[in-house]
Amino acid sequence: MDNTTLESSIRKESEELIADVLEKEAAEIKRLDEEYAAEIECFRKKIETETQARIHQELSRLENRAVLERKKLKLVSVEKYISRMVEAVMKEIRSNPRYRSFLADAAANAAARISGNVKVRLCPEDMILEGDIRKAILSAGNRRTVEIRADKSVGWGGCLVMDEEAGRVFNHTLERMYFRKAGVIRRKAVKILQDHAAKT
């Protein structure tokens, strides 16, 4: 066998081996590309599903928050309405002719339970009734010192009567009376508003 034939044979065999390696390499690259493409598609679908679930969860949370905010806004509106109505009623109570005797009787009854000096605190606007209150306390048989002063903390009216010796305070303020009945008043106001809303 001569050298040219041997060279040709080796060249041909080498070319076939190289072609075979290139073919296997191309097939492996194609397989890896398909595998990676499948993994990427799977990952994309998983992320899309998770994203949709998260978006749904956040939308649901926002919807719930919106419902709560609407309810809170309604409650705040009802609370403001009730406060305005109570303020109006308290002003009417103080302009009622019977308020003068209520205030004098409340102070005298509290003073009757005090053995020492009596201190009375009134809403500043009620200081015009100081004489009536002093007279009621003294005519109830209390012959002690009576001190009557204005107190801005008694905003709506009524009176605070203090027994400093015993460390007691008799609270006959309209605020105190309101707060004892506040729950009932709120329930009635809400019922009235609900009934009105049902009619419209």
Side-chain angles (χ1 to χ4, degrees), residues 108 111 131-146:
D132 293 342
I133 294 166
R134 186 179 304 279
K135 183 178 174 185
I137 291 172
L138 294 174
S139 68
N142 300 318
R143 304 282 184 250
R144 58 187 149 271
T145 305
V146 178

Short mmCIF file of all heavy atoms in Angstrom, two decimals, residues 108 111 131-146:
data_model
loop_
_atom_site.label_atom_id
_atom_site.label_comp_id
_atom_site.label_asym_id
_atom_site.label_seq_id
_atom_site.Cartn_x
_atom_site.Cartn_y
_atom_site.Cartn_z
N ALA A 108 -77.60 70.15 96.59
CA ALA A 108 -78.08 70.05 97.98
C ALA A 108 -78.08 68.60 98.47
O ALA A 108 -77.68 68.32 99.61
CB ALA A 108 -79.48 70.65 98.09
N ALA A 111 -74.49 67.61 99.11
CA ALA A 111 -73.99 68.33 100.28
C ALA A 111 -74.54 67.73 101.57
O ALA A 111 -73.86 67.73 102.60
CB ALA A 111 -74.35 69.81 100.19
N GLY A 131 -76.28 81.64 93.33
CA GLY A 131 -77.13 82.01 94.48
C GLY A 131 -78.18 80.95 94.77
O GLY A 131 -78.41 80.60 95.95
N ASP A 132 -78.84 80.42 93.74
CA ASP A 132 -79.86 79.38 93.94
C ASP A 132 -79.25 78.13 94.56
O ASP A 132 -79.85 77.50 95.44
CB ASP A 132 -80.50 79.01 92.60
CG ASP A 132 -81.32 80.14 91.99
OD1 ASP A 132 -81.68 81.07 92.73
OD2 ASP A 132 -81.59 80.07 90.79
N ILE A 133 -78.05 77.77 94.10
CA ILE A 133 -77.39 76.55 94.61
C ILE A 133 -76.98 76.74 96.07
O ILE A 133 -77.23 75.87 96.91
CB ILE A 133 -76.17 76.20 93.73
CG1 ILE A 133 -76.66 75.80 92.31
CG2 ILE A 133 -75.34 75.08 94.33
CD1 ILE A 133 -75.57 75.74 91.27
N ARG A 134 -76.40 77.89 96.39
CA ARG A 134 -75.99 78.17 97.77
C ARG A 134 -77.21 78.16 98.70
O ARG A 134 -77.18 77.56 99.78
CB ARG A 134 -75.27 79.53 97.83
CG ARG A 134 -74.66 79.86 99.18
CD ARG A 134 -73.95 81.20 99.15
NE ARG A 134 -72.94 81.29 98.12
CZ ARG A 134 -71.70 80.79 98.23
NH1 ARG A 134 -71.36 80.16 99.34
NH2 ARG A 134 -70.84 80.93 97.26
N LYS A 135 -78.29 78.77 98.25
CA LYS A 135 -79.53 78.83 99.05
C LYS A 135 -80.07 77.41 99.28
O LYS A 135 -80.50 77.07 100.39
CB LYS A 135 -80.55 79.68 98.31
CG LYS A 135 -81.84 79.90 99.05
CD LYS A 135 -82.76 80.80 98.23
CE LYS A 135 -84.12 80.91 98.88
NZ LYS A 135 -85.05 81.68 98.06
N ALA A 136 -80.07 76.56 98.24
CA ALA A 136 -80.58 75.19 98.36
C ALA A 136 -79.73 74.37 99.34
O ALA A 136 -80.28 73.62 100.17
CB ALA A 136 -80.58 74.50 97.00
N ILE A 137 -78.42 74.54 99.28
CA ILE A 137 -77.54 73.79 100.20
C ILE A 137 -77.76 74.25 101.63
O ILE A 137 -77.91 73.43 102.55
CB ILE A 137 -76.05 73.97 99.79
CG1 ILE A 137 -75.79 73.24 98.46
CG2 ILE A 137 -75.11 73.46 100.87
CD1 ILE A 137 -74.43 73.50 97.85
N LEU A 138 -77.82 75.57 101.84
CA LEU A 138 -78.00 76.09 103.21
C LEU A 138 -79.39 75.81 103.75
O LEU A 138 -79.56 75.54 104.94
CB LEU A 138 -77.70 77.60 103.24
CG LEU A 138 -76.23 77.96 102.94
CD1 LEU A 138 -76.06 79.47 102.83
CD2 LEU A 138 -75.31 77.38 104.00
N SER A 139 -80.41 75.83 102.88
CA SER A 139 -81.77 75.56 103.37
C SER A 139 -81.99 74.08 103.66
O SER A 139 -82.95 73.71 104.34
CB SER A 139 -82.81 76.05 102.36
OG SER A 139 -82.75 75.27 101.18
N ALA A 140 -81.10 73.22 103.18
CA ALA A 140 -81.19 71.78 103.47
C ALA A 140 -80.63 71.48 104.85
O ALA A 140 -80.50 70.31 105.23
CB ALA A 140 -80.45 70.97 102.39
N GLY A 141 -80.29 72.53 105.62
CA GLY A 141 -79.82 72.33 106.99
C GLY A 141 -78.32 72.23 107.09
O GLY A 141 -77.80 71.88 108.15
N ASN A 142 -77.63 72.58 106.06
CA ASN A 142 -76.17 72.51 106.12
C ASN A 142 -75.63 73.90 106.50
O ASN A 142 -75.69 74.82 105.72
CB ASN A 142 -75.61 72.09 104.74
CG ASN A 142 -76.15 70.74 104.33
OD1 ASN A 142 -76.23 69.84 105.14
ND2 ASN A 142 -76.54 70.61 103.07
N ARG A 143 -75.13 74.01 107.71
CA ARG A 143 -74.61 75.29 108.19
C ARG A 143 -73.09 75.31 108.15
O ARG A 143 -72.41 75.60 109.10
CB ARG A 143 -75.07 75.54 109.65
CG ARG A 143 -76.55 75.50 109.83
CD ARG A 143 -77.19 76.80 109.36
NE ARG A 143 -78.61 76.79 109.61
CZ ARG A 143 -79.51 76.71 108.66
NH1 ARG A 143 -79.16 76.62 107.41
NH2 ARG A 143 -80.79 76.75 108.96
N ARG A 144 -72.53 75.01 107.02
CA ARG A 144 -71.07 74.99 106.89
C ARG A 144 -70.67 75.91 105.74
O ARG A 144 -71.51 76.47 105.06
CB ARG A 144 -70.58 73.57 106.66
CG ARG A 144 -71.17 72.91 105.45
CD ARG A 144 -70.75 71.45 105.41
NE ARG A 144 -71.77 70.64 104.81
CZ ARG A 144 -72.79 70.05 105.41
NH1 ARG A 144 -72.96 70.18 106.68
NH2 ARG A 144 -73.65 69.32 104.77
N THR A 145 -69.39 76.00 105.52
CA THR A 145 -68.89 76.85 104.44
C THR A 145 -69.17 76.19 103.10
O THR A 145 -68.93 74.99 102.90
CB THR A 145 -67.35 77.04 104.57
OG1 THR A 145 -67.07 77.54 105.88
CG2 THR A 145 -66.83 78.00 103.53
N VAL A 146 -69.70 77.00 102.17
CA VAL A 146 -69.98 76.51 100.82
C VAL A 146 -69.17 77.34 99.84
O VAL A 146 -69.31 78.57 99.81
CB VAL A 146 -71.50 76.62 100.49
CG1 VAL A 146 -71.74 76.16 99.06
CG2 VAL A 146 -72.33 75.82 101.48
#
